[in-house]
Amino acid sequence: MQIPIETALGERLGKAFEAQGLPATLGATARSTRPDLAPYQCNGAMAAAKQAGKPPREIAQAVADAVSGDPLIESVEIAGPGFINLTPSAKALEDRANALAEDDRAGARIVDEARTVVIDFGGPNVAKPMHVGHLRSSIIGDSLQRLFRFRGDQVIGDVHLGDWGLQMGQIITELAREKPDLPYFDKDFEGPYPDESPVTIEELETIYPRASQACKANEARMDEARMATQALQEGRPGYIALWRHFLEVSKAALKRDFAALDVHFDLWKGESDVQDRIRPMVADLVERDIATEDKGAIVIPVAREDDKKELPPFILLKSDGAALYTTTDLATILDRSETLNPDLILYVVDKRQSLHFEQVFRAAAKSGFAEDISFEHLAYGTMNGPDGKPFKTRAGGVLKLADLLDRAHRRAVARMEEAGIASDMEKAEYEAVADKVALAAIKFADLSHDRATDYIFDLDRFMTFEGKTGPYLLYAAVRVKSLMRKAEDAGVEPGEIRIKEKAEADLLYALDAFDRASATAYEKRAPNFLCDHAYTLAQAFSGFYSACPIVTAEDAETRASRLALAQLTLTQLNLVLGLIGLEAPDRM
RNA sequence: GCGCCGGUAGCUCAGUUGGAUAGAGCACCAGACUACGAAUCUGGGGGUCGGGGGUUCGAAUCCUCCCCGGCGCGCCA
């Protein structure tokens, strides 16, 4: 059987519903909320009662009669107002188990039609260090790109660097004040400009906050930054040369940060990559009367009559003529449409920008150059500190990502020492394990929460290694790996799977749910369903592991069967861990 | 003011088209290791699902009003 048990049951019941002139979708079957009664249930008869004009139990009875005797089904019972309780046959379980064991995808199917999907996530800014605010976008976006790829889509992950806005002008003017003798500020300088950046990434990271604060405090200073931004966008050679240096040193630092997270991108594009498209795009939109002038700015009105709220116009060019992130976002859509031809673009961006994306999507629709593309803003909530307020350092500043990872690493080491884990390892392996544990704690905690809601980041709790945490999942995987080594030493080989014990059946049910979990996570763009599945699976395995001896089982067939089950679990666990961006070490 | 999101066990959070007795982890209580790795497993107590009203055979879920919290609302990103 190559499809999940619940899917197979659903199809059988669907036919029975159809035979009564009812929609096949009513046959939808899922794991039971009353496992004491049966493993699976179908609620379709109750939903059908209204349209069929018959009592639900009568419909349920007809369905039950139609499917009883099916080799897939051990028993079918009707309960309450019309629940159909189903127990699959032992043969169905074993067929499915052996099919799963032979499948290198461990039961997860792929989409019927592959699409080209751009995922826009990460979104770091030049000159600003990655901080905790970038963590969610990076982790969620990465999990989604892994998941979409796994489901068969062609995925293009783009980091979409913030490298072309006002912050560049702020930094340029700040540096001009601090180091006015640099050739970049001399209008008469004829080059060539130095190859080396005049500032290191560390210096850049301190310049930006100074610049930002100065501009916020002083209107004239802000105007200076605006003018510099515009000059940069118009191509002033000194500014461009300087900006390239900023870009270069920033990218190097960002790549280190993303590598530490084990997050990777297909494209390292940014706002500036569409600079050449901006003028022609604006001219075209004005030409076609889609964009108009309003209070000195060029805008696209995006409000509609039936809007509940007042939607401000989409600003394409500021009254001083400079482009802003709205401009580059729209131009980026045009660019992606022409160069990548995607079916879908996903934006993994903070939920506070939902109004902005509403505007961008409407502007894109009015512009008419993205008619075949679907857009979704996958908004996520804020990461808060234990006090429930946005995460800050003790001093009240923003915590740099690198510092957060370092803190998590030290915490992992402390916990490992406490538990006496991996004490026999060489330093390098030990450190690598601690890194994996730290990342597992952070990523699992983030992904297991609902994407849209805020959540409390509490490293102590994520790092407890007990219960529903990333480290527990790594432990579960490592324990299976250890078991496989033991089996090999003992000469046990995996064989035909037989389901005899309750713990074996429970493990199989958990394994069989992988397809459903990955499909739901995919459809809802919600990695927390993957996390739930990973945890349920790890727990089911632990139950099986403690209830059913494997290498030490009495007869050879049982050993072979249980080892195959363990092997299958490991395969699936590795897959699902991979989808949430985790990797289990071989031992720990 | 308008709009969006949230309010579920002491704490942190799940809950797929409305379905049976609302779940999980932590914490708490009681058990299980001379070990296929106890970072584990088995069992237990604990909830007027923010409040009222409505639709329905049936509501955490749908509609409506109210309370509380977070966020957003034209030239920052």
Side-chain angles (χ1 to χ4, degrees):
Chain A
M1 189 201 309
Q2 296 305 324
I3 57 174
I5 293 168
E6 68 170 43
T7 310
L9 290 171
E11 285 179 5
R12 301 300 163 91
L13 266 64
K15 281 179 192 156
F17 276 101
E18 264 184 330
Q20 295 189 65
L22 293 163
T25 51
L26 291 167
T29 297
R31 288 303 305 281
S32 177
T33 54
R34 290 288 305 273
D36 53 317
L37 299 179
Y40 293 93
Q41 69 181 108
C42 168
N43 302 334
M46 291 173 291
K50 270 173 211 151
Q51 54 178 296
K54 278 193 272 188
R57 283 193 70 105
E58 193 177 304
I59 297 166
Q61 190 58 56
V63 170
D65 290 345
V67 301
S68 73
D70 189 296
L72 186 62
I73 296 166
E74 171 74 29
S75 75
V76 47
E77 283 162 3
I78 296 161
F83 296 99
I84 303 171
N85 290 327
L86 295 153
T87 304
S89 65
K91 180 164 190 317
L93 255 54
E94 290 179 354
D95 285 352
R96 179 60 178 161
N98 287 298
L100 285 172
E102 283 170 21
D103 181 6
D104 56 12
R105 296 175 58 87
R109 292 176 291 178
I110 59 170
V111 292
D112 295 330
E113 269 181 66
R115 293 175 298 176
T116 300
V117 182
V118 172
I119 306 184
D120 184 322
F121 70 106
N125 292 313
V126 163
K128 284 166 87 172
M130 294 262 287
H131 56 83
V132 294
H134 296 109
L135 196 62
R136 295 212 76 187
S137 178
S138 303
I139 293 175
I140 295 168
D142 181 52
S143 178
L144 290 174
Q145 74 170 345
R146 289 165 184 258
L147 175 62
F148 273 63
R149 232 167 241 144
F150 182 64
R151 296 272 298 166
D153 285 328
Q154 194 204 322
V155 177
I156 301 151
D158 184 359
V159 72
H160 199 67
L161 223 50
D163 63 356
W164 201 237
L166 180 63
Q167 81 272 23
M168 300 317 304
Q170 291 179 332
I171 299 164
I172 289 170
T173 50
E174 186 67 22
L175 193 63
R177 287 168 169 248
E178 294 177 12
K179 296 183 180 179
D181 296 336
L182 289 172
Y184 309 97
F185 307 117
D186 179 358
K187 277 193 167 168
D188 299 325
F189 186 79
E190 293 186 350
Y193 293 100
D195 291 335
E196 280 281 298
S197 170
V199 289
T200 64
I201 183 63
E202 290 76 18
E203 288 167 328
L204 205 48
E205 287 173 359
T206 64
I207 291 172
Y208 178 77
R210 277 206 298 282
S212 171
Q213 276 181 13
C215 290
K216 214 178 265 179
N218 184 325
E219 189 59 31
R221 176 74 185 77
M222 183 66 101
D223 282 341
E224 209 178 306
R226 289 197 183 107
M227 283 165 64
T229 305
Q230 198 192 350
L232 171 73
Q233 293 182 354
E234 282 170 1
R236 177 167 158 171
Y239 286 3
I240 292 283
L242 195 52
W243 169 80
R244 285 194 206 284
H245 288 310
F246 296 163
L247 205 58
E248 190 186 339
V249 297
S250 290
K251 272 191 184 176
L254 292 172
K255 288 192 174 176
R256 275 200 302 276
D257 280 335
F258 281 118
L261 281 176
D262 196 16
V263 169
H264 307 277
F265 298 89
D266 300 297
L267 297 178
W268 273 78
K269 294 230 175 193
E271 297 171 334
S272 67
D273 283 294
V274 293
Q275 54 184 292
D276 292 339
R277 289 188 176 273
I278 290 174
R279 299 295 150 186
M281 180 184 80
V282 173
D284 169 56
L285 292 172
V286 170
E287 168 86 8
R288 287 154 57 206
D289 278 336
I290 290 164
T292 56
E293 198 198 309
D294 186 2
K295 294 175 187 167
I298 306 292
V299 306
I300 300 179
V302 291
R304 292 181 195 141
E305 298 239 335
D306 58 341
D307 281 339
K308 281 184 171 178
K309 66 192 168 195
E310 198 179 331
L311 219 68
F314 179 82
I315 296 175
L316 211 48
L317 288 184
K318 300 199 291 182
S319 44
D320 67 5
L324 48 150
Y325 75 121
T326 52
T327 326
T328 54
D329 274 355
L330 192 61
T332 299
I333 289 174
L334 180 60
D335 185 63
R336 286 172 176 161
S337 169
E338 290 182 1
T339 62
L340 304 172
N341 191 27
D343 301 297
L344 174 66
I345 303 179
L346 304 175
Y347 297 85
V348 187
V349 182
D350 192 297
K351 68 178 177 185
R352 283 173 292 197
Q353 294 198 40
S354 55
L355 178 61
H356 164 68
F357 282 107
E358 178 75 43
Q359 291 181 292
V360 173
F361 299 161
R362 288 190 187 197
K366 284 192 91 168
S367 302
F369 48 61
E371 277 164 0
D372 300 329
I373 308 177
S374 302
F375 300 94
E376 288 177 36
H377 172 210
L378 304 184
Y380 57 84
T382 317
M383 196 174 107
N384 292 334
D387 59 354
K389 296 187 177 153
F391 198 86
K392 291 272 162 64
T393 60
R394 236 169 254 152
V398 181
L399 183 64
K400 285 166 69 171
L401 180 67
D403 294 339
L404 175 74
L405 293 180
D406 189 49
R407 198 188 282 189
H409 177 94
R410 289 201 307 269
R411 201 73 59 101
V413 167
R415 299 293 315 195
M416 283 161 65
E417 280 175 358
E418 221 173 277
I421 288 164
S423 50
D424 60 331
M425 280 186 188
E426 300 283 328
K427 174 92 173 161
E429 188 184 2
Y430 188 85
E431 293 294 318
V433 169
D435 275 339
K436 282 179 175 159
V437 168
L439 263 194
I442 291 172
K443 286 190 179 181
F444 186 81
D446 195 308
L447 293 172
S448 61
H449 288 88
D450 181 84
R451 175 165 51 74
T453 60
D454 298 345
Y455 82 102
I456 293 182
F457 186 89
D458 184 344
L459 202 49
D460 286 327
R461 196 152 44 76
F462 302 162
M463 205 65 84
T464 54
F465 296 23
E466 278 159 17
K468 198 171 178 179
T469 65
Y472 167 84
L473 296 177
L474 297 192
Y475 166 74
V478 166
R479 203 165 50 163
V480 190
K481 289 185 182 187
S482 171
L483 174 67
M484 301 312 293
R485 286 192 293 268
K486 278 262 159 49
E488 196 177 348
D489 290 347
V492 180
E493 298 272 335
E496 180 93 4
I497 297 174
R498 300 276 177 229
I499 306 290
K500 305 288 182 201
E501 302 293 325
K502 181 178 181 298
E504 293 171 327
D506 287 344
L507 176 57
L508 178 68
Y509 288 134
L511 287 160
D512 195 36
F514 183 37
D515 179 66
R516 172 57 164 270
S518 51
T520 303
Y522 174 85
E523 281 153 18
K524 299 171 72 111
R525 293 89 165 95
N528 61 307
F529 285 90
L530 295 171
C531 293
D532 276 353
H533 177 73
Y535 185 67
T536 309
L537 177 63
Q539 259 191 330
F541 180 79
S542 284
F544 161 74
Y545 181 85
S546 65
C548 302
I550 298 156
V551 178
T552 56
E554 284 176 19
D555 67 284
E557 275 187 21
T558 302
R559 283 197 296 274
S561 164
R562 288 177 180 170
L563 187 64
L565 219 35
Q567 173 69 65
L568 165 58
T569 301
L570 181 59
T571 300
Q572 192 178 95
L573 203 49
N574 280 336
L575 284 173
V576 70
L577 288 178
L579 294 178
I580 53 182
L582 309 188
E583 191 188 357
D586 287 332
R587 58 196 196 110
M588 60 192 257

Short mmCIF file of all heavy atoms in Angstrom, two decimals, chain A residues 43-78:
data_model
loop_
_atom_site.label_atom_id
_atom_site.label_comp_id
_atom_site.label_asym_id
_atom_site.label_seq_id
_atom_site.Cartn_x
_atom_site.Cartn_y
_atom_site.Cartn_z
N ASN A 43 -16.29 11.44 10.14
CA ASN A 43 -17.44 12.20 10.63
C ASN A 43 -18.39 12.61 9.51
O ASN A 43 -19.30 13.39 9.72
CB ASN A 43 -16.97 13.46 11.37
CG ASN A 43 -16.06 13.13 12.53
OD1 ASN A 43 -16.13 12.05 13.09
ND2 ASN A 43 -15.21 14.06 12.89
N GLY A 44 -18.14 12.07 8.32
CA GLY A 44 -18.87 12.53 7.14
C GLY A 44 -20.38 12.32 7.19
O GLY A 44 -21.13 13.10 6.62
N ALA A 45 -20.81 11.28 7.88
CA ALA A 45 -22.24 10.99 7.88
C ALA A 45 -23.04 12.11 8.53
O ALA A 45 -24.15 12.44 8.09
CB ALA A 45 -22.50 9.67 8.63
N MET A 46 -22.48 12.71 9.55
CA MET A 46 -23.19 13.79 10.23
C MET A 46 -23.24 15.04 9.37
O MET A 46 -24.25 15.74 9.32
CB MET A 46 -22.53 14.07 11.58
CG MET A 46 -22.76 12.92 12.54
SD MET A 46 -21.85 13.11 14.07
CE MET A 46 -20.18 12.91 13.51
N ALA A 47 -22.12 15.29 8.69
CA ALA A 47 -22.09 16.44 7.79
C ALA A 47 -23.06 16.24 6.63
O ALA A 47 -23.64 17.19 6.12
CB ALA A 47 -20.67 16.66 7.27
N ALA A 48 -23.26 14.97 6.24
CA ALA A 48 -24.11 14.66 5.08
C ALA A 48 -25.59 14.70 5.41
O ALA A 48 -26.42 14.84 4.52
CB ALA A 48 -23.75 13.28 4.54
N ALA A 49 -25.90 14.58 6.69
CA ALA A 49 -27.30 14.41 7.09
C ALA A 49 -28.21 15.51 6.53
O ALA A 49 -29.30 15.23 6.04
CB ALA A 49 -27.40 14.36 8.61
N LYS A 50 -27.71 16.75 6.59
CA LYS A 50 -28.55 17.86 6.13
C LYS A 50 -28.87 17.78 4.64
O LYS A 50 -30.01 17.80 4.24
CB LYS A 50 -27.85 19.20 6.44
CG LYS A 50 -28.21 19.72 7.82
CD LYS A 50 -27.38 20.94 8.17
CE LYS A 50 -27.18 20.98 9.67
NZ LYS A 50 -25.93 21.65 10.04
N GLN A 51 -27.80 17.67 3.85
CA GLN A 51 -28.03 17.68 2.40
C GLN A 51 -28.75 16.41 1.93
O GLN A 51 -29.46 16.45 0.93
CB GLN A 51 -26.71 17.88 1.65
CG GLN A 51 -25.62 16.91 2.02
CD GLN A 51 -24.35 17.13 1.20
OE1 GLN A 51 -24.36 16.98 -0.01
NE2 GLN A 51 -23.27 17.52 1.87
N ALA A 52 -28.58 15.30 2.65
CA ALA A 52 -29.23 14.07 2.23
C ALA A 52 -30.66 13.99 2.75
O ALA A 52 -31.48 13.22 2.24
CB ALA A 52 -28.43 12.87 2.72
N GLY A 53 -30.96 14.76 3.76
CA GLY A 53 -32.29 14.72 4.35
C GLY A 53 -32.58 13.40 5.02
O GLY A 53 -33.72 12.94 5.08
N LYS A 54 -31.51 12.77 5.51
CA LYS A 54 -31.68 11.47 6.20
C LYS A 54 -30.97 11.55 7.54
O LYS A 54 -30.03 12.32 7.71
CB LYS A 54 -31.05 10.35 5.36
CG LYS A 54 -31.95 9.86 4.24
CD LYS A 54 -31.44 8.55 3.65
CE LYS A 54 -30.45 8.83 2.53
NZ LYS A 54 -30.06 7.62 1.80
N PRO A 55 -31.38 10.74 8.48
CA PRO A 55 -30.67 10.75 9.77
C PRO A 55 -29.23 10.27 9.59
O PRO A 55 -28.98 9.35 8.81
CB PRO A 55 -31.44 9.76 10.64
CG PRO A 55 -32.63 9.34 9.86
CD PRO A 55 -32.50 9.81 8.46
N PRO A 56 -28.30 10.91 10.29
CA PRO A 56 -26.87 10.57 10.11
C PRO A 56 -26.55 9.11 10.39
O PRO A 56 -25.73 8.53 9.69
CB PRO A 56 -26.17 11.50 11.11
CG PRO A 56 -27.22 12.06 11.99
CD PRO A 56 -28.50 12.02 11.24
N ARG A 57 -27.21 8.52 11.35
CA ARG A 57 -26.90 7.11 11.66
C ARG A 57 -27.29 6.19 10.52
O ARG A 57 -26.64 5.16 10.28
CB ARG A 57 -27.60 6.68 12.96
CG ARG A 57 -26.90 7.21 14.23
CD ARG A 57 -27.41 6.51 15.47
NE ARG A 57 -27.00 5.11 15.54
CZ ARG A 57 -26.05 4.66 16.36
NH1 ARG A 57 -25.41 5.49 17.17
NH2 ARG A 57 -25.74 3.38 16.36
N GLU A 58 -28.34 6.58 9.81
CA GLU A 58 -28.79 5.77 8.67
C GLU A 58 -27.75 5.80 7.55
O GLU A 58 -27.41 4.78 6.96
CB GLU A 58 -30.13 6.33 8.17
CG GLU A 58 -30.86 5.41 7.21
CD GLU A 58 -32.21 6.02 6.83
OE1 GLU A 58 -33.00 6.32 7.76
OE2 GLU A 58 -32.44 6.23 5.62
N ILE A 59 -27.24 7.01 7.31
CA ILE A 59 -26.18 7.16 6.29
C ILE A 59 -24.94 6.38 6.71
O ILE A 59 -24.34 5.65 5.92
CB ILE A 59 -25.84 8.64 6.10
CG1 ILE A 59 -27.06 9.40 5.58
CG2 ILE A 59 -24.67 8.80 5.14
CD1 ILE A 59 -26.94 10.91 5.65
N ALA A 60 -24.58 6.55 7.97
CA ALA A 60 -23.39 5.87 8.50
C ALA A 60 -23.54 4.36 8.35
O ALA A 60 -22.59 3.66 7.99
CB ALA A 60 -23.18 6.25 9.97
N GLN A 61 -24.74 3.86 8.62
CA GLN A 61 -24.98 2.42 8.54
C GLN A 61 -24.80 1.93 7.10
O GLN A 61 -24.18 0.88 6.88
CB GLN A 61 -26.39 2.09 9.03
CG GLN A 61 -26.64 0.60 9.22
CD GLN A 61 -25.65 -0.04 10.20
OE1 GLN A 61 -25.54 0.40 11.35
NE2 GLN A 61 -24.92 -1.06 9.76
N ALA A 62 -25.30 2.70 6.16
CA ALA A 62 -25.17 2.32 4.75
C ALA A 62 -23.69 2.29 4.34
O ALA A 62 -23.26 1.40 3.61
CB ALA A 62 -25.95 3.30 3.87
N VAL A 63 -22.95 3.27 4.82
CA VAL A 63 -21.51 3.31 4.51
C VAL A 63 -20.81 2.11 5.15
O VAL A 63 -20.01 1.42 4.52
CB VAL A 63 -20.87 4.63 5.02
CG1 VAL A 63 -19.35 4.57 4.92
CG2 VAL A 63 -21.41 5.82 4.24
N ALA A 64 -21.15 1.85 6.39
CA ALA A 64 -20.54 0.73 7.11
C ALA A 64 -20.83 -0.59 6.40
O ALA A 64 -19.94 -1.42 6.23
CB ALA A 64 -21.05 0.70 8.55
N ASP A 65 -22.07 -0.75 5.96
CA ASP A 65 -22.44 -1.98 5.25
C ASP A 65 -21.64 -2.13 3.97
O ASP A 65 -21.21 -3.22 3.60
CB ASP A 65 -23.94 -1.96 4.92
CG ASP A 65 -24.80 -2.11 6.17
OD1 ASP A 65 -24.23 -2.50 7.22
OD2 ASP A 65 -26.01 -1.82 6.11
N ALA A 66 -21.44 -0.99 3.29
CA ALA A 66 -20.74 -1.02 2.00
C ALA A 66 -19.27 -1.40 2.15
O ALA A 66 -18.70 -2.01 1.25
CB ALA A 66 -20.88 0.33 1.30
N VAL A 67 -18.67 -1.01 3.26
CA VAL A 67 -17.22 -1.25 3.37
C VAL A 67 -16.87 -2.46 4.23
O VAL A 67 -15.71 -2.89 4.26
CB VAL A 67 -16.46 -0.02 3.93
CG1 VAL A 67 -16.69 1.19 3.04
CG2 VAL A 67 -16.87 0.28 5.37
N SER A 68 -17.84 -3.00 4.94
CA SER A 68 -17.49 -4.13 5.80
C SER A 68 -17.11 -5.32 4.93
O SER A 68 -17.70 -5.55 3.88
CB SER A 68 -18.65 -4.47 6.74
OG SER A 68 -19.67 -5.10 6.03
N GLY A 69 -16.11 -6.03 5.36
CA GLY A 69 -15.62 -7.13 4.55
C GLY A 69 -14.45 -6.72 3.66
O GLY A 69 -13.78 -7.56 3.09
N ASP A 70 -14.20 -5.43 3.57
CA ASP A 70 -13.05 -4.96 2.81
C ASP A 70 -11.78 -5.46 3.50
O ASP A 70 -11.65 -5.37 4.72
CB ASP A 70 -13.07 -3.43 2.77
CG ASP A 70 -12.04 -2.86 1.81
OD1 ASP A 70 -10.83 -3.05 2.06
OD2 ASP A 70 -12.45 -2.23 0.83
N PRO A 71 -10.83 -5.96 2.72
CA PRO A 71 -9.61 -6.51 3.34
C PRO A 71 -8.81 -5.47 4.12
O PRO A 71 -8.00 -5.82 4.98
CB PRO A 71 -8.80 -7.01 2.14
CG PRO A 71 -9.44 -6.43 0.93
CD PRO A 71 -10.86 -6.18 1.28
N LEU A 72 -9.05 -4.22 3.82
CA LEU A 72 -8.35 -3.15 4.51
C LEU A 72 -8.87 -2.97 5.93
O LEU A 72 -8.16 -2.47 6.81
CB LEU A 72 -8.56 -1.85 3.71
CG LEU A 72 -7.83 -0.59 4.12
CD1 LEU A 72 -6.34 -0.78 4.00
CD2 LEU A 72 -8.29 0.57 3.23
N ILE A 73 -10.12 -3.37 6.11
CA ILE A 73 -10.81 -3.01 7.35
C ILE A 73 -11.08 -4.21 8.26
O ILE A 73 -11.67 -5.21 7.83
CB ILE A 73 -12.13 -2.28 7.02
CG1 ILE A 73 -11.81 -0.95 6.31
CG2 ILE A 73 -12.94 -2.01 8.29
CD1 ILE A 73 -12.98 -0.31 5.64
N GLU A 74 -10.66 -4.10 9.48
CA GLU A 74 -10.88 -5.13 10.47
C GLU A 74 -12.30 -5.03 11.03
O GLU A 74 -13.03 -5.99 11.11
CB GLU A 74 -9.85 -4.96 11.60
CG GLU A 74 -10.06 -5.83 12.82
CD GLU A 74 -9.68 -7.27 12.54
OE1 GLU A 74 -8.80 -7.48 11.69
OE2 GLU A 74 -10.27 -8.18 13.17
N SER A 75 -12.65 -3.79 11.44
CA SER A 75 -14.00 -3.60 11.94
C SER A 75 -14.46 -2.17 11.73
O SER A 75 -13.65 -1.25 11.65
CB SER A 75 -14.06 -3.92 13.44
OG SER A 75 -13.47 -2.89 14.18
N VAL A 76 -15.77 -2.03 11.57
CA VAL A 76 -16.35 -0.70 11.43
C VAL A 76 -17.57 -0.63 12.35
O VAL A 76 -18.42 -1.52 12.35
CB VAL A 76 -16.71 -0.41 9.95
CG1 VAL A 76 -17.46 -1.56 9.32
CG2 VAL A 76 -17.50 0.88 9.82
N GLU A 77 -17.60 0.43 13.15
CA GLU A 77 -18.69 0.58 14.11
C GLU A 77 -19.26 1.99 14.08
O GLU A 77 -18.54 2.94 13.83
CB GLU A 77 -18.19 0.27 15.53
CG GLU A 77 -18.03 -1.21 15.80
CD GLU A 77 -17.14 -1.50 17.00
OE1 GLU A 77 -16.70 -0.53 17.64
OE2 GLU A 77 -16.89 -2.69 17.26
N ILE A 78 -20.55 2.06 14.37
CA ILE A 78 -21.18 3.37 14.40
C ILE A 78 -21.46 3.74 15.86
O ILE A 78 -21.91 2.90 16.65
CB ILE A 78 -22.49 3.35 13.60
CG1 ILE A 78 -22.13 3.07 12.14
CG2 ILE A 78 -23.22 4.67 13.72
CD1 ILE A 78 -23.27 2.59 11.33
#
